[in-house]
Amino acid sequence: MPCLLTEKFFQTFTAKAIADATKTAEVIVALSAASRAEVDELVNKAQAAGGTISNDPADHGFMYSWGFQDPDGHYWELVYMDPSAAGQA
């Protein structure tokens, strides 16, 4: 289960400055979803909790993704890939 840390506690893990994600992109966290519906559900829940939609849903047929930024500005991408498309070029 993922764990989100407060900035103060996160700082105890590094001597580096913590990036201000509202001004710079540091990482995109991509999580796999079990279905397209789960992608939509999680992005909608994130938005309801204070996140902002960062892009339109992308439907590539075999793959579906949609992303948001959390209130601190970090990018999150939810992705569903059709297992039957694995190994096809």
Side-chain angles (χ1 to χ4, degrees), residues 1-35:
M1 181 72 157
C3 178
L4 300 177
L5 307 176
T6 64
E7 186 173 318
K8 183 178 176 181
F9 186 55
F10 180 67
Q11 187 68 67
T12 67
F13 291 92
T14 181
K16 292 182 179 182
I18 297 174
D20 181 348
T22 63
K23 296 181 178 147
T24 61
E26 58 183 323
V27 68
I28 297 175
V29 179
L31 302 174
S32 182
S35 67

Side-chain angles (χ1 to χ4, degrees), residues 9 12 23 33 49-50 55 61-62 67-68 73 75 78-81 85 88:
F9 186 55
T12 67
K23 296 181 178 147
N55 58 0
F62 68 97
F68 66 91
Y75 284 97
L78 284 296
V79 179
Y80 167 72
M81 186 166 304
Q88 296 179 8

